[in-house]
């Protein structure tokens, strides 16, 4: 029916890091949304109906403003451009580049190597045992978090950059959630832990936590 406004619909999986990022961003921007669970563990992302909506067969996907938006950082960029407050990136070009670099260090350098589909491929057909897959996961976490700590520390405040949450924190918190799932010691990353502690107290982050959506 023309003129009828519909709520944004987020297609996600409760424990997906990329979906977790988008839930945080939607909450920070004050966007109410409907949620459709896509069970990655059960292969729902490969079903024809979902592939017709999203040819990559990945989550998250956000249907909003008549658009089908995919890729978590692209979705967050859209939200930040469409809804001015609160800004998720600094206005200063240099600071903006710095925050983007922190976010990309997580979203491009750590997360893809530890994605569920990568871990599944290590198991079958490559035949790696669970202990080997866990060590793979932990290796790439350590490789990524140590330089991230060094990058963030000089400009961090309560959060990874300054005293307000940014795109960098949106990417960090899901990654640390995963690090704890795999029992990675985090004491070597005090800057990251400080930002994580602040985010834990923030309603937008707390409401997006995977435990709120566990089946």
């Amino acid at each position: 029916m023309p003129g009828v406004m519909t709520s944004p619909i987020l297609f996600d999986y409760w424990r997906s890091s990329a979906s977790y990022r988008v839930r945080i961003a939607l909450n920070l921007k004050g966007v109410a949304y409907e949620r459709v669970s896509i069970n990655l563990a059960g292969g729902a992302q490969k079903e024809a109906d979902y592939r017709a909506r999203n040819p990559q067969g990945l989550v998250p996907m956000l249907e909003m403003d008549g658009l089908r938006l995919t890729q978590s950082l692209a979705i967050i960029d859209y939200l930040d451009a469409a809804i001015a407050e609160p800004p998720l990136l600094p206005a200063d070009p240099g600071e903006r580049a710095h925050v983007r670099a922190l976010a990309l260090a997580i979203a491009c350098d750590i997360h893809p190597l530890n994605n569920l589909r990568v871990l599944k491929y290590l198991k079958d057909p490559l035949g790696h045992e669970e202990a080997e897959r866990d060590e793979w996961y932990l290796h790439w976490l350590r490789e990524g978090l140590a330089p991230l700590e060094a990058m963030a520390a000089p400009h961090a405040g309560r959060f990874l950059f300054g005293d307000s949450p940014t795109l960098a924190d949106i990417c960090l918190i899901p990654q640390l959630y995963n690090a704890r799932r795999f029992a990675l010691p985090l004491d070597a990353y005090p800057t990251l832990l400080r930002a994580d502690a602040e985010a834990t107290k923030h309603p937008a982050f707390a409401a997006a936590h995977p435990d709120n959506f566990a089946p």
Side-chain angles (χ1 to χ4, degrees):
M1 182 176 176
V4 173
M5 298 294 291
T6 59
S7 298
I9 301 174
L10 177 65
F11 296 80
D12 80 345
Y13 180 61
W14 69 282
R15 210 159 60 182
S16 155
S17 297
S19 298
Y20 191 175
R21 294 173 200 152
V22 172
R23 292 196 300 265
I24 295 168
L26 286 164
N27 293 343
L28 284 168
K29 293 294 186 177
V31 177
Y33 62 93
E34 298 177 26
R35 180 175 170 269
V36 175
S37 176
I38 302 296
N39 185 359
L40 299 187
Q45 72 277 20
K46 299 177 182 178
E47 294 176 1
D49 180 63
Y50 187 67
R51 287 276 189 171
R53 292 173 177 268
N54 180 1
Q56 280 192 294
L58 302 174
V59 294
M61 180 179 74
L62 180 67
E63 292 189 349
M64 180 175 177
D65 300 335
L67 302 170
R68 285 180 177 167
L69 304 166
T70 61
Q71 291 292 336
S72 63
L73 266 62
I75 295 171
I76 295 167
D77 184 69
Y78 176 83
L79 292 171
D80 206 28
I83 304 167
E85 296 295 332
L88 302 179
L89 287 163
D92 176 82
E95 293 176 348
R96 192 179 186 91
H98 172 68
V99 170
R100 281 194 187 279
L102 296 175
L104 292 170
I106 300 165
C108 296
D109 295 338
I110 300 174
H111 177 246
L113 289 163
N114 288 339
N115 192 278
L116 178 61
R117 58 181 181 161
V118 171
L119 298 178
K120 283 186 173 181
Y121 190 74
L122 289 172
K123 178 182 178 182
D124 184 14
L126 297 185
H128 289 278
E129 299 294 332
E130 183 176 359
E132 294 175 310
R133 299 195 307 273
D134 287 353
E135 180 51 37
W136 166 282
Y137 198 109
L138 292 170
H139 170 78
W140 294 115
L141 277 174
R142 290 188 292 262
E143 285 288 302
L145 293 181
L148 183 69
E149 170 73 22
M151 291 166 63
H155 305 288
R158 291 167 48 220
F159 290 90
L160 276 192
F161 178 80
D163 293 328
S164 299
T166 67
L167 177 64
D169 304 288
I170 290 171
C171 291
L172 174 69
I173 301 316
Q175 197 62 66
L176 292 187
Y177 167 81
N178 286 335
R180 291 186 174 101
R181 284 180 55 222
F182 282 80
L184 177 73
L186 296 173
D187 291 347
Y189 317 116
T191 306
L192 308 187
L193 287 178
R194 183 171 69 243
D196 181 67
E198 287 295 329
T200 298
K201 297 183 288 186
H202 196 295
F205 287 81
H209 195 282
D211 287 353
N212 297 322
F213 306 98

PDB file of all heavy atoms in Angstrom, residues 2-31:
ATOM      1  N   PRO A   2       0.769   2.120  -0.991  1.00  0.00           N
ATOM      2  CA  PRO A   2       1.637   3.293  -1.070  1.00  0.00           C
ATOM      3  C   PRO A   2       1.556   4.149   0.180  1.00  0.00           C
ATOM      4  O   PRO A   2       0.484   4.350   0.752  1.00  0.00           O
ATOM      5  CB  PRO A   2       1.097   4.042  -2.301  1.00  0.00           C
ATOM      6  CG  PRO A   2       0.388   2.998  -3.107  1.00  0.00           C
ATOM      7  CD  PRO A   2      -0.172   2.038  -2.111  1.00  0.00           C
ATOM      8  N   GLY A   3       2.722   4.629   0.602  1.00  0.00           N
ATOM      9  CA  GLY A   3       2.775   5.536   1.728  1.00  0.00           C
ATOM     10  C   GLY A   3       2.855   4.875   3.083  1.00  0.00           C
ATOM     11  O   GLY A   3       3.020   5.548   4.098  1.00  0.00           O
ATOM     12  N   VAL A   4       2.736   3.536   3.139  1.00  0.00           N
ATOM     13  CA  VAL A   4       2.801   2.833   4.402  1.00  0.00           C
ATOM     14  C   VAL A   4       4.273   2.654   4.790  1.00  0.00           C
ATOM     15  O   VAL A   4       5.068   2.134   4.018  1.00  0.00           O
ATOM     16  CB  VAL A   4       2.100   1.464   4.324  1.00  0.00           C
ATOM     17  CG1 VAL A   4       2.333   0.670   5.605  1.00  0.00           C
ATOM     18  CG2 VAL A   4       0.610   1.648   4.090  1.00  0.00           C
ATOM     19  N   MET A   5       4.628   3.101   5.976  1.00  0.00           N
ATOM     20  CA  MET A   5       5.998   2.968   6.462  1.00  0.00           C
ATOM     21  C   MET A   5       6.159   1.615   7.140  1.00  0.00           C
ATOM     22  O   MET A   5       5.312   1.201   7.933  1.00  0.00           O
ATOM     23  CB  MET A   5       6.323   4.088   7.447  1.00  0.00           C
ATOM     24  CG  MET A   5       6.254   5.475   6.858  1.00  0.00           C
ATOM     25  SD  MET A   5       7.506   5.757   5.603  1.00  0.00           S
ATOM     26  CE  MET A   5       8.979   5.750   6.622  1.00  0.00           C
ATOM     27  N   THR A   6       7.204   0.910   6.817  1.00  0.00           N
ATOM     28  CA  THR A   6       7.475  -0.371   7.451  1.00  0.00           C
ATOM     29  C   THR A   6       8.744  -0.261   8.286  1.00  0.00           C
ATOM     30  O   THR A   6       9.644   0.518   7.979  1.00  0.00           O
ATOM     31  CB  THR A   6       7.639  -1.475   6.404  1.00  0.00           C
ATOM     32  OG1 THR A   6       8.712  -1.136   5.521  1.00  0.00           O
ATOM     33  CG2 THR A   6       6.359  -1.654   5.597  1.00  0.00           C
ATOM     34  N   SER A   7       8.793  -1.051   9.343  1.00  0.00           N
ATOM     35  CA  SER A   7       9.977  -1.057  10.189  1.00  0.00           C
ATOM     36  C   SER A   7      11.147  -1.693   9.439  1.00  0.00           C
ATOM     37  O   SER A   7      10.952  -2.614   8.638  1.00  0.00           O
ATOM     38  CB  SER A   7       9.708  -1.862  11.468  1.00  0.00           C
ATOM     39  OG  SER A   7       8.681  -1.280  12.225  1.00  0.00           O
ATOM     40  N   PRO A   8      12.359  -1.220   9.694  1.00  0.00           N
ATOM     41  CA  PRO A   8      13.526  -1.913   9.150  1.00  0.00           C
ATOM     42  C   PRO A   8      13.525  -3.369   9.612  1.00  0.00           C
ATOM     43  O   PRO A   8      13.097  -3.689  10.729  1.00  0.00           O
ATOM     44  CB  PRO A   8      14.702  -1.139   9.735  1.00  0.00           C
ATOM     45  CG  PRO A   8      14.152   0.217  10.046  1.00  0.00           C
ATOM     46  CD  PRO A   8      12.730  -0.017  10.457  1.00  0.00           C
ATOM     47  N   ILE A   9      14.005  -4.244   8.752  1.00  0.00           N
ATOM     48  CA  ILE A   9      14.103  -5.665   9.072  1.00  0.00           C
ATOM     49  C   ILE A   9      15.560  -6.071   9.003  1.00  0.00           C
ATOM     50  O   ILE A   9      16.222  -5.884   7.974  1.00  0.00           O
ATOM     51  CB  ILE A   9      13.272  -6.524   8.096  1.00  0.00           C
ATOM     52  CG1 ILE A   9      11.795  -6.116   8.147  1.00  0.00           C
ATOM     53  CG2 ILE A   9      13.414  -8.006   8.436  1.00  0.00           C
ATOM     54  CD1 ILE A   9      10.932  -6.812   7.110  1.00  0.00           C
ATOM     55  N   LEU A  10      16.071  -6.620  10.091  1.00  0.00           N
ATOM     56  CA  LEU A  10      17.443  -7.090  10.150  1.00  0.00           C
ATOM     57  C   LEU A  10      17.458  -8.612  10.089  1.00  0.00           C
ATOM     58  O   LEU A  10      16.899  -9.289  10.952  1.00  0.00           O
ATOM     59  CB  LEU A  10      18.120  -6.620  11.437  1.00  0.00           C
ATOM     60  CG  LEU A  10      19.557  -7.107  11.645  1.00  0.00           C
ATOM     61  CD1 LEU A  10      20.480  -6.525  10.580  1.00  0.00           C
ATOM     62  CD2 LEU A  10      20.051  -6.771  13.045  1.00  0.00           C
ATOM     63  N   PHE A  11      18.084  -9.137   9.064  1.00  0.00           N
ATOM     64  CA  PHE A  11      18.310 -10.571   8.938  1.00  0.00           C
ATOM     65  C   PHE A  11      19.675 -10.845   9.570  1.00  0.00           C
ATOM     66  O   PHE A  11      20.701 -10.345   9.086  1.00  0.00           O
ATOM     67  CB  PHE A  11      18.290 -10.998   7.474  1.00  0.00           C
ATOM     68  CG  PHE A  11      16.957 -10.792   6.801  1.00  0.00           C
ATOM     69  CD1 PHE A  11      16.578  -9.530   6.342  1.00  0.00           C
ATOM     70  CD2 PHE A  11      16.074 -11.849   6.627  1.00  0.00           C
ATOM     71  CE1 PHE A  11      15.354  -9.323   5.727  1.00  0.00           C
ATOM     72  CE2 PHE A  11      14.831 -11.649   6.008  1.00  0.00           C
ATOM     73  CZ  PHE A  11      14.476 -10.387   5.559  1.00  0.00           C
ATOM     74  N   ASP A  12      19.678 -11.640  10.636  1.00  0.00           N
ATOM     75  CA  ASP A  12      20.942 -11.845  11.330  1.00  0.00           C
ATOM     76  C   ASP A  12      20.997 -13.216  11.972  1.00  0.00           C
ATOM     77  O   ASP A  12      20.052 -14.013  11.878  1.00  0.00           O
ATOM     78  CB  ASP A  12      21.193 -10.732  12.355  1.00  0.00           C
ATOM     79  CG  ASP A  12      20.448 -10.916  13.679  1.00  0.00           C
ATOM     80  OD1 ASP A  12      19.509 -11.740  13.756  1.00  0.00           O
ATOM     81  OD2 ASP A  12      20.810 -10.230  14.649  1.00  0.00           O
ATOM     82  N   TYR A  13      22.117 -13.503  12.600  1.00  0.00           N
ATOM     83  CA  TYR A  13      22.302 -14.713  13.390  1.00  0.00           C
ATOM     84  C   TYR A  13      22.804 -14.272  14.748  1.00  0.00           C
ATOM     85  O   TYR A  13      23.676 -13.398  14.839  1.00  0.00           O
ATOM     86  CB  TYR A  13      23.299 -15.647  12.704  1.00  0.00           C
ATOM     87  CG  TYR A  13      23.574 -16.933  13.446  1.00  0.00           C
ATOM     88  CD1 TYR A  13      22.549 -17.842  13.700  1.00  0.00           C
ATOM     89  CD2 TYR A  13      24.860 -17.251  13.886  1.00  0.00           C
ATOM     90  CE1 TYR A  13      22.802 -19.032  14.376  1.00  0.00           C
ATOM     91  CE2 TYR A  13      25.114 -18.436  14.554  1.00  0.00           C
ATOM     92  CZ  TYR A  13      24.087 -19.326  14.797  1.00  0.00           C
ATOM     93  OH  TYR A  13      24.326 -20.510  15.465  1.00  0.00           O
ATOM     94  N   TRP A  14      22.292 -14.857  15.791  1.00  0.00           N
ATOM     95  CA  TRP A  14      22.511 -14.327  17.141  1.00  0.00           C
ATOM     96  C   TRP A  14      23.987 -14.199  17.500  1.00  0.00           C
ATOM     97  O   TRP A  14      24.395 -13.258  18.168  1.00  0.00           O
ATOM     98  CB  TRP A  14      21.776 -15.178  18.168  1.00  0.00           C
ATOM     99  CG  TRP A  14      22.319 -16.568  18.378  1.00  0.00           C
ATOM    100  CD1 TRP A  14      22.132 -17.653  17.557  1.00  0.00           C
ATOM    101  CD2 TRP A  14      23.106 -17.030  19.477  1.00  0.00           C
ATOM    102  NE1 TRP A  14      22.755 -18.753  18.072  1.00  0.00           N
ATOM    103  CE2 TRP A  14      23.355 -18.408  19.256  1.00  0.00           C
ATOM    104  CE3 TRP A  14      23.605 -16.429  20.625  1.00  0.00           C
ATOM    105  CZ2 TRP A  14      24.105 -19.193  20.142  1.00  0.00           C
ATOM    106  CZ3 TRP A  14      24.357 -17.195  21.513  1.00  0.00           C
ATOM    107  CH2 TRP A  14      24.600 -18.563  21.268  1.00  0.00           C
ATOM    108  N   ARG A  15      24.838 -15.131  17.034  1.00  0.00           N
ATOM    109  CA  ARG A  15      26.233 -15.119  17.436  1.00  0.00           C
ATOM    110  C   ARG A  15      27.159 -14.605  16.335  1.00  0.00           C
ATOM    111  O   ARG A  15      28.384 -14.662  16.468  1.00  0.00           O
ATOM    112  CB  ARG A  15      26.667 -16.516  17.895  1.00  0.00           C
ATOM    113  CG  ARG A  15      27.755 -16.500  18.939  1.00  0.00           C
ATOM    114  CD  ARG A  15      27.816 -17.768  19.737  1.00  0.00           C
ATOM    115  NE  ARG A  15      28.062 -18.961  18.926  1.00  0.00           N
ATOM    116  CZ  ARG A  15      28.106 -20.189  19.422  1.00  0.00           C
ATOM    117  NH1 ARG A  15      27.920 -20.381  20.715  1.00  0.00           N
ATOM    118  NH2 ARG A  15      28.320 -21.221  18.641  1.00  0.00           N
ATOM    119  N   SER A  16      26.612 -14.119  15.258  1.00  0.00           N
ATOM    120  CA  SER A  16      27.413 -13.552  14.182  1.00  0.00           C
ATOM    121  C   SER A  16      28.016 -12.220  14.616  1.00  0.00           C
ATOM    122  O   SER A  16      27.312 -11.309  15.041  1.00  0.00           O
ATOM    123  CB  SER A  16      26.529 -13.340  12.944  1.00  0.00           C
ATOM    124  OG  SER A  16      27.031 -12.325  12.118  1.00  0.00           O
ATOM    125  N   SER A  17      29.353 -12.103  14.487  1.00  0.00           N
ATOM    126  CA  SER A  17      30.023 -10.851  14.869  1.00  0.00           C
ATOM    127  C   SER A  17      29.536  -9.684  14.030  1.00  0.00           C
ATOM    128  O   SER A  17      29.325  -8.583  14.538  1.00  0.00           O
ATOM    129  CB  SER A  17      31.539 -10.999  14.701  1.00  0.00           C
ATOM    130  OG  SER A  17      32.046 -11.977  15.559  1.00  0.00           O
ATOM    131  N   ALA A  18      29.405  -9.910  12.732  1.00  0.00           N
ATOM    132  CA  ALA A  18      28.979  -8.836  11.843  1.00  0.00           C
ATOM    133  C   ALA A  18      27.562  -8.390  12.166  1.00  0.00           C
ATOM    134  O   ALA A  18      27.246  -7.185  12.129  1.00  0.00           O
ATOM    135  CB  ALA A  18      29.090  -9.285  10.389  1.00  0.00           C
ATOM    136  N   SER A  19      26.690  -9.336  12.499  1.00  0.00           N
ATOM    137  CA  SER A  19      25.324  -8.984  12.897  1.00  0.00           C
ATOM    138  C   SER A  19      25.312  -8.213  14.214  1.00  0.00           C
ATOM    139  O   SER A  19      24.558  -7.241  14.379  1.00  0.00           O
ATOM    140  CB  SER A  19      24.477 -10.255  13.047  1.00  0.00           C
ATOM    141  OG  SER A  19      24.363 -10.947  11.829  1.00  0.00           O
ATOM    142  N   TYR A  20      26.147  -8.634  15.134  1.00  0.00           N
ATOM    143  CA  TYR A  20      26.284  -7.966  16.432  1.00  0.00           C
ATOM    144  C   TYR A  20      26.662  -6.501  16.211  1.00  0.00           C
ATOM    145  O   TYR A  20      26.104  -5.591  16.837  1.00  0.00           O
ATOM    146  CB  TYR A  20      27.348  -8.723  17.217  1.00  0.00           C
ATOM    147  CG  TYR A  20      27.538  -8.424  18.679  1.00  0.00           C
ATOM    148  CD1 TYR A  20      28.444  -9.200  19.416  1.00  0.00           C
ATOM    149  CD2 TYR A  20      26.865  -7.413  19.358  1.00  0.00           C
ATOM    150  CE1 TYR A  20      28.669  -8.971  20.767  1.00  0.00           C
ATOM    151  CE2 TYR A  20      27.086  -7.179  20.707  1.00  0.00           C
ATOM    152  CZ  TYR A  20      28.002  -7.965  21.408  1.00  0.00           C
ATOM    153  OH  TYR A  20      28.229  -7.737  22.745  1.00  0.00           O
ATOM    154  N   ARG A  21      27.589  -6.235  15.288  1.00  0.00           N
ATOM    155  CA  ARG A  21      27.979  -4.850  14.977  1.00  0.00           C
ATOM    156  C   ARG A  21      26.768  -4.018  14.556  1.00  0.00           C
ATOM    157  O   ARG A  21      26.573  -2.890  15.020  1.00  0.00           O
ATOM    158  CB  ARG A  21      28.986  -4.825  13.832  1.00  0.00           C
ATOM    159  CG  ARG A  21      30.325  -5.431  14.097  1.00  0.00           C
ATOM    160  CD  ARG A  21      31.131  -5.478  12.805  1.00  0.00           C
ATOM    161  NE  ARG A  21      32.214  -6.442  12.887  1.00  0.00           N
ATOM    162  CZ  ARG A  21      32.726  -7.083  11.856  1.00  0.00           C
ATOM    163  NH1 ARG A  21      32.246  -6.881  10.636  1.00  0.00           N
ATOM    164  NH2 ARG A  21      33.714  -7.936  12.027  1.00  0.00           N
ATOM    165  N   VAL A  22      25.977  -4.577  13.665  1.00  0.00           N
ATOM    166  CA  VAL A  22      24.845  -3.815  13.130  1.00  0.00           C
ATOM    167  C   VAL A  22      23.785  -3.596  14.197  1.00  0.00           C
ATOM    168  O   VAL A  22      23.174  -2.524  14.262  1.00  0.00           O
ATOM    169  CB  VAL A  22      24.271  -4.506  11.877  1.00  0.00           C
ATOM    170  CG1 VAL A  22      22.976  -3.827  11.421  1.00  0.00           C
ATOM    171  CG2 VAL A  22      25.300  -4.463  10.745  1.00  0.00           C
ATOM    172  N   ARG A  23      23.564  -4.588  15.053  1.00  0.00           N
ATOM    173  CA  ARG A  23      22.608  -4.385  16.147  1.00  0.00           C
ATOM    174  C   ARG A  23      23.063  -3.228  17.043  1.00  0.00           C
ATOM    175  O   ARG A  23      22.247  -2.398  17.464  1.00  0.00           O
ATOM    176  CB  ARG A  23      22.458  -5.669  16.974  1.00  0.00           C
ATOM    177  CG  ARG A  23      21.781  -6.817  16.235  1.00  0.00           C
ATOM    178  CD  ARG A  23      21.306  -7.906  17.182  1.00  0.00           C
ATOM    179  NE  ARG A  23      22.360  -8.515  17.974  1.00  0.00           N
ATOM    180  CZ  ARG A  23      23.002  -9.635  17.664  1.00  0.00           C
ATOM    181  NH1 ARG A  23      22.719 -10.271  16.516  1.00  0.00           N
ATOM    182  NH2 ARG A  23      23.924 -10.140  18.465  1.00  0.00           N
ATOM    183  N   ILE A  24      24.361  -3.171  17.338  1.00  0.00           N
ATOM    184  CA  ILE A  24      24.876  -2.054  18.144  1.00  0.00           C
ATOM    185  C   ILE A  24      24.606  -0.725  17.445  1.00  0.00           C
ATOM    186  O   ILE A  24      24.124   0.234  18.067  1.00  0.00           O
ATOM    187  CB  ILE A  24      26.385  -2.227  18.405  1.00  0.00           C
ATOM    188  CG1 ILE A  24      26.673  -3.447  19.269  1.00  0.00           C
ATOM    189  CG2 ILE A  24      26.946  -0.962  19.073  1.00  0.00           C
ATOM    190  CD1 ILE A  24      28.147  -3.836  19.312  1.00  0.00           C
ATOM    191  N   ALA A  25      24.932  -0.652  16.160  1.00  0.00           N
ATOM    192  CA  ALA A  25      24.763   0.604  15.416  1.00  0.00           C
ATOM    193  C   ALA A  25      23.305   1.035  15.364  1.00  0.00           C
ATOM    194  O   ALA A  25      22.986   2.215  15.548  1.00  0.00           O
ATOM    195  CB  ALA A  25      25.333   0.457  14.010  1.00  0.00           C
ATOM    196  N   LEU A  26      22.407   0.095  15.108  1.00  0.00           N
ATOM    197  CA  LEU A  26      20.981   0.420  15.095  1.00  0.00           C
ATOM    198  C   LEU A  26      20.539   0.965  16.448  1.00  0.00           C
ATOM    199  O   LEU A  26      19.792   1.948  16.530  1.00  0.00           O
ATOM    200  CB  LEU A  26      20.165  -0.820  14.727  1.00  0.00           C
ATOM    201  CG  LEU A  26      20.210  -1.262  13.266  1.00  0.00           C
ATOM    202  CD1 LEU A  26      19.705  -2.698  13.123  1.00  0.00           C
ATOM    203  CD2 LEU A  26      19.391  -0.325  12.385  1.00  0.00           C
ATOM    204  N   ASN A  27      21.015   0.346  17.520  1.00  0.00           N
ATOM    205  CA  ASN A  27      20.652   0.812  18.856  1.00  0.00           C
ATOM    206  C   ASN A  27      21.216   2.202  19.135  1.00  0.00           C
ATOM    207  O   ASN A  27      20.531   3.058  19.712  1.00  0.00           O
ATOM    208  CB  ASN A  27      21.153  -0.178  19.902  1.00  0.00           C
ATOM    209  CG  ASN A  27      20.450  -1.523  19.843  1.00  0.00           C
ATOM    210  OD1 ASN A  27      19.386  -1.647  19.246  1.00  0.00           O
ATOM    211  ND2 ASN A  27      21.036  -2.532  20.459  1.00  0.00           N
ATOM    212  N   LEU A  28      22.475   2.425  18.757  1.00  0.00           N
ATOM    213  CA  LEU A  28      23.071   3.746  18.975  1.00  0.00           C
ATOM    214  C   LEU A  28      22.301   4.834  18.242  1.00  0.00           C
ATOM    215  O   LEU A  28      22.139   5.951  18.739  1.00  0.00           O
ATOM    216  CB  LEU A  28      24.534   3.744  18.518  1.00  0.00           C
ATOM    217  CG  LEU A  28      25.534   3.047  19.437  1.00  0.00           C
ATOM    218  CD1 LEU A  28      26.870   2.875  18.727  1.00  0.00           C
ATOM    219  CD2 LEU A  28      25.736   3.840  20.732  1.00  0.00           C
ATOM    220  N   LYS A  29      21.824   4.511  17.048  1.00  0.00           N
ATOM    221  CA  LYS A  29      21.080   5.477  16.240  1.00  0.00           C
ATOM    222  C   LYS A  29      19.606   5.563  16.627  1.00  0.00           C
ATOM    223  O   LYS A  29      18.861   6.381  16.078  1.00  0.00           O
ATOM    224  CB  LYS A  29      21.202   5.117  14.756  1.00  0.00           C
ATOM    225  CG  LYS A  29      22.607   5.271  14.187  1.00  0.00           C
ATOM    226  CD  LYS A  29      23.056   6.721  14.163  1.00  0.00           C
ATOM    227  CE  LYS A  29      24.393   6.877  13.457  1.00  0.00           C
ATOM    228  NZ  LYS A  29      24.826   8.290  13.347  1.00  0.00           N
ATOM    229  N   GLY A  30      19.176   4.717  17.552  1.00  0.00           N
ATOM    230  CA  GLY A  30      17.788   4.768  18.004  1.00  0.00           C
ATOM    231  C   GLY A  30      16.801   4.230  16.991  1.00  0.00           C
ATOM    232  O   GLY A  30      15.633   4.659  16.967  1.00  0.00           O
ATOM    233  N   VAL A  31      17.220   3.274  16.174  1.00  0.00           N
ATOM    234  CA  VAL A  31      16.357   2.710  15.139  1.00  0.00           C
ATOM    235  C   VAL A  31      15.693   1.440  15.661  1.00  0.00           C
ATOM    236  O   VAL A  31      16.377   0.463  15.996  1.00  0.00           O
ATOM    237  CB  VAL A  31      17.166   2.379  13.867  1.00  0.00           C
ATOM    238  CG1 VAL A  31      16.269   1.709  12.815  1.00  0.00           C
ATOM    239  CG2 VAL A  31      17.809   3.635  13.303  1.00  0.00           C
TER     240      VAL A  31
END
